[in-house]
């Protein structure tokens, strides 16, 4: 009977066949241990010389890394492996022999591994990260569906620049100029006026010449937008959402987190509510900590965010940034003209900002003035302004960067390992 590694627990004591690849192997004169993978998981196959035909044992000893095969044997419980099962192999049928697989069990440099990303994805560690990523996506749909949000897909080719004009990928749209989307937000605002509570999940692009462990050129963002939600209402959604994805990964990816060596005690208490500090308080805190390069009005860099996050064991919201540091669409604080009703959510353990969000300006004239102040083409934002002409309401939304969130929850240092094929400053291959 054909099955998969993920399903072997249903076949203890039975003989089954699995289509697999050889990830690694060890053998002696009498026994061979085959590390097998089939995409759904990893299992050890044990080939005992005395129990199989000589030809099978010789095959097991000579089989090369990443050769594909059908392997047949009896599933047994194995309390020593974290997976809990192994296979007593009876037969091996090679499908395709792999010769000179480049990624051997020895250490390789990062650039080499990135050049071989199409193969590196097969490794245990990369497999685990992709499973965590998948679980976060699954839990995202689960959360927003349960909360009554409607999934809406904003366009990728656009004529607008929500996050500033300096980081746009330009392209031709027949005779017109177009950009790859930096954020679906503006379109999601239109969608919220039609459907109430909406969320998107899609690729976004930043032509940003940053080469840090937190920056990708192409990354995926989850962008909820809610009509009649004010700043504080939005923070509640954010902390509930982030708690839900962390707890879902803990529940459904324990094997993967173990394989990644993640200290799960640091994730267990990630439950709403999250602490909040204002930008003003953050500046004061940093100055007291000895960061004399920071003055009111300056943006925070990675070391500043890390210093702030270190004071908490949960993600922390930094709220009410200066208007001058943020995009044109944010609602001013009614009590203070110089700050906006916004928040960045900073992950613990140095992973940096995972969410940026705000209440949106809903006054037509102030918004129009901001568009001018930011030197944006009023023609391109005509439709966006019209949302403030026909029954404008307070509304808020945010964007969660998927890869930074995967990095944090997996405990992976660099975002390049959190997306199947990273687009980095110097990398478009493979
Ligand atoms: O803070 P950002 O730029 O916010 C927006 O784009 C808003 N329009 C979202 C909204 O309100 N709907 O980006 C949001 C998040 C960041 O907090 C970060 O997690 C991630 O997107 N992000 C990046 N991730 C990887 N590489 C980059 N270059 C990123 N830039 C932003
Ligand atoms: Mg931001």
């Amino acid at each position: 009977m054909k099955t998969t590694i993920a399903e072997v627990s249903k076949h203890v004591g039975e003989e089954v066949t699995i289509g697999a690849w050889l990830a690694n192997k060890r053998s002696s004169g009498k026994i061979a241990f085959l590390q097998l993978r089939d995409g759904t998981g990893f299992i050890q196959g044990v080939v005992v010389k005395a129990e199989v035909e000589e030809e099978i044992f010789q095959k097991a000893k000579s089989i090369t890394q990443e050769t594909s095969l059908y392997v047949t044997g009896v599933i047994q419980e194995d309390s020593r492996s974290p997976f809990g099962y192994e296979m007593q192999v009876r037969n091996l049928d090679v499908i395709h022999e792999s010769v000179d697989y480049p990624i051997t069990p020895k250490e390789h440099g990062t650039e080499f591994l990135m050049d071989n990303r199409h193969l590196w994805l097969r490794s245990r560690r990369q497999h685990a990260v992709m499973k965590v990523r998948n679980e976060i996506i699954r839990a995202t749909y689960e959360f927003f569906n349960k909360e009554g949000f409607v999934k809406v897909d904003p366009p990728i080719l656009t004529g607008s620049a929500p996050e500033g004009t300096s980081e746009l990928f330009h392209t031709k749209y027949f005779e017109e100029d177009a950009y790859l989307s930096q954020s679906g937000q503006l379109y999601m605002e239109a969608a919220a006026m039609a459907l109430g509570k909406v969320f998107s999940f899609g690729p976004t692009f930043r032509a940003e010449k940053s080469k840090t462990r937190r920056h990708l050129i192409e990354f995926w963002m989850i962008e909820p937008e809610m009509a009649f939600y004010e700043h504080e209402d939005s923070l509640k959604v954010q902390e509930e959402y982030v708690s839900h994805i962390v707890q879902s990964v803990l529940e459904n990816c324990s094997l993967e987190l173990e394989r990644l060596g993640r200290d799960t005690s640091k994730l267990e208490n990630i439950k709403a509510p999250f602490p909040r500090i204002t930008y003003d308080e953050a500046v004061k805190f940093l100055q007291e900590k000895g960061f004399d390069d920071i003055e009111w009005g300056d943006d925070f860099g990675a070391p500043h965010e890390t210093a702030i996050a270190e004071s908490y064991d949960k993600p922390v919201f930094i709220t009410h940034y200066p208007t001058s540091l943020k995009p044109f669409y944010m609602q001013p604080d009614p009590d203070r003209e110089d700050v906006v009703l916004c928040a960045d959510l900073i992950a613990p353990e140095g992973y940096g900002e995972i969410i940026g969000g705000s209440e949106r300006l809903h006054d037509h004239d102030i918004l129009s003035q901001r568009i001018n102040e930011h030197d944006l083409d009023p023609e391109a934002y005509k439709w966006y302004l019209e949302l403030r002409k026909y029954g404008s309401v307070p509304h808020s939304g945010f964007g969660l960067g998927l890869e930074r969130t995967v990095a944090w929850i997996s405990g992976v240092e660099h975002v390049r390992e959190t997306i199947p094929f990273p687009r980095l400053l110097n990398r478009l291959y493979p």
Side-chain angles (χ1 to χ4, degrees):
M1 190 205 169
K2 229 178 184 175
T3 190
T4 60
I5 295 172
E7 298 278 305
V8 295
S9 62
K10 297 180 186 151
H11 299 285
V12 175
E14 291 171 27
E15 183 175 292
V16 295
T17 297
I18 295 172
W21 292 267
L22 183 80
N24 200 356
K25 86 171 176 226
R26 257 179 327 115
S27 61
S28 68
K30 289 184 183 146
I31 194 161
F33 296 101
L34 309 179
Q35 306 308 323
L36 301 163
R37 57 169 202 90
D38 75 341
T40 75
F42 293 81
I43 193 171
Q44 172 163 275
V46 184
V47 195
V48 181
K49 184 175 159 74
E51 289 173 14
V52 294
E53 285 177 31
E54 183 56 23
E55 180 216 338
I56 302 292
F57 188 69
Q58 288 313 320
K59 231 194 255 180
K61 283 196 70 162
S62 62
I63 195 167
T64 51
Q65 193 188 350
E66 287 307 314
T67 286
S68 51
L69 65 156
Y70 284 116
V71 49
T72 301
V74 178
I75 302 301
Q76 296 185 330
E77 286 193 46
D78 172 28
S79 56
R80 288 157 306 175
S81 87
F83 178 56
Y85 303 92
E86 64 175 25
M87 180 193 260
Q88 288 294 327
V89 176
R90 295 205 175 138
N91 196 17
L92 299 172
D93 270 324
V94 168
I95 302 169
H96 180 250
E97 191 186 350
S98 157
V99 181
D100 296 335
Y101 187 67
I103 306 177
T104 59
K106 71 164 203 216
E107 288 269 322
H108 294 284
T110 303
E111 282 309 300
F112 176 83
L113 290 169
M114 292 300 291
D115 284 341
N116 287 285
R117 183 64 177 167
H118 52 299
L119 304 175
W120 190 26
L121 277 175
R122 302 180 184 195
S123 78
R124 280 174 187 263
R125 177 179 155 90
Q126 300 310 313
H127 184 271
V129 179
M130 289 306 127
K131 291 296 283 280
V132 170
R133 179 182 170 103
N134 178 64
E135 176 60 18
I136 294 173
I137 296 168
R138 191 203 63 76
T140 293
Y141 281 86
E142 178 178 75
F143 179 84
F144 288 111
N145 282 319
K146 179 174 62 85
E147 297 292 323
F149 284 64
V150 178
K151 168 96 191 317
V152 168
D153 305 312
I156 306 290
L157 288 166
T158 76
S160 55
E163 303 301 312
T165 47
S166 59
E167 299 170 358
L168 285 170
F169 270 106
H170 182 249
T171 180
K172 282 314 263 189
Y173 192 75
F174 306 109
E175 301 309 313
E176 280 182 70
D177 287 315
Y179 310 107
L180 298 186
S181 175
Q182 289 177 312
S183 158
Q185 180 197 318
L186 307 189
Y187 296 97
M188 296 309 286
E189 289 183 53
M193 300 307 133
L195 294 153
K197 294 195 285 184
V198 292
F199 75 107
S200 67
F201 171 50
T204 45
F205 306 86
R206 305 273 166 106
E208 191 180 352
K209 301 230 155 128
S210 296
K211 211 178 164 187
T212 79
R213 69 186 186 95
R214 298 167 177 184
H215 285 89
L216 290 161
I217 305 300
E218 176 178 313
F219 66 97
W220 286 64
M221 196 161 27
I222 290 113
E223 295 190 271
E225 195 70 35
M226 298 85 72
F228 307 104
Y229 274 50
E230 293 175 21
H231 175 61
E232 179 59 31
D233 304 323
S234 174
L235 296 191
K236 290 216 175 79
V237 176
Q238 294 174 44
E239 60 194 8
E240 292 294 338
Y241 167 45
V242 171
S243 304
H244 180 72
I245 56 184
V246 172
Q247 297 306 318
S248 297
V249 172
L250 279 171
E251 201 173 309
N252 299 320
C253 293
S254 54
L255 258 183
E256 286 77 11
L257 293 175
E258 184 177 334
R259 203 183 297 149
L260 291 164
R262 184 67 168 105
D263 177 357
T264 50
S265 69
K266 293 213 164 77
L267 298 175
E268 269 148 23
N269 69 331
I270 307 294
K271 289 187 180 150
F274 296 163
R276 285 142 212 224
I277 62 167
T278 63
Y279 173 87
D280 290 3
E281 288 164 345
V283 169
K284 214 183 284 164
F285 167 86
L286 290 170
Q287 287 169 343
E288 280 162 12
K289 275 238 152 183
F291 285 92
D292 37 7
D293 56 332
I294 276 286
E295 275 176 51
W296 198 95
D298 293 343
D299 211 353
F300 299 144
H304 307 115
E305 286 177 357
T306 302
I308 295 164
E310 269 169 5
S311 309
Y312 305 92
D313 56 3
K314 289 185 189 182
V316 52
F317 288 113
I318 306 178
T319 68
H320 300 83
Y321 279 75
T323 314
S324 59
L325 291 180
K326 291 293 181 189
F328 70 95
Y329 54 70
M330 292 189 180
Q331 177 75 13
D333 184 336
D335 303 323
R336 253 181 84 180
E337 275 294 303
D338 58 341
V339 298
V340 280
L341 297 179
C342 72
D344 284 355
L345 184 66
I346 313 298
E349 301 173 69
Y351 286 94
E353 179 200 324
I354 53 170
I355 292 183
S358 73
E359 188 171 324
R360 320 307 192 186
L361 249 172
H362 57 271
D363 180 272
H364 178 278
D365 295 347
I366 304 175
L367 182 60
S368 173
Q369 190 189 323
R370 287 282 157 82
I371 288 172
N372 289 330
E373 284 164 10
H374 283 252
D375 276 334
L376 299 168
D377 173 13
E379 269 307 298
Y381 295 87
K382 188 165 158 275
W383 67 267
Y384 184 65
L385 269 169
E386 281 180 11
L387 302 175
R388 279 74 179 168
K389 256 173 86 177
Y390 306 112
S392 191
V393 298
H395 61 287
S396 301
F398 61 93
L400 173 130
L402 178 63
E403 288 76 18
R404 288 191 193 172
T405 307
V406 175
W408 163 47
I409 297 177
S410 307
V412 163
E413 173 80 6
H414 198 297
V415 288
R416 67 184 163 223
E417 287 184 58
T418 64
I419 184 164
F421 294 98
R423 296 296 171 241
L424 301 163
L425 198 50
N426 299 318
R427 180 169 295 281
L428 192 59
Y429 178 93

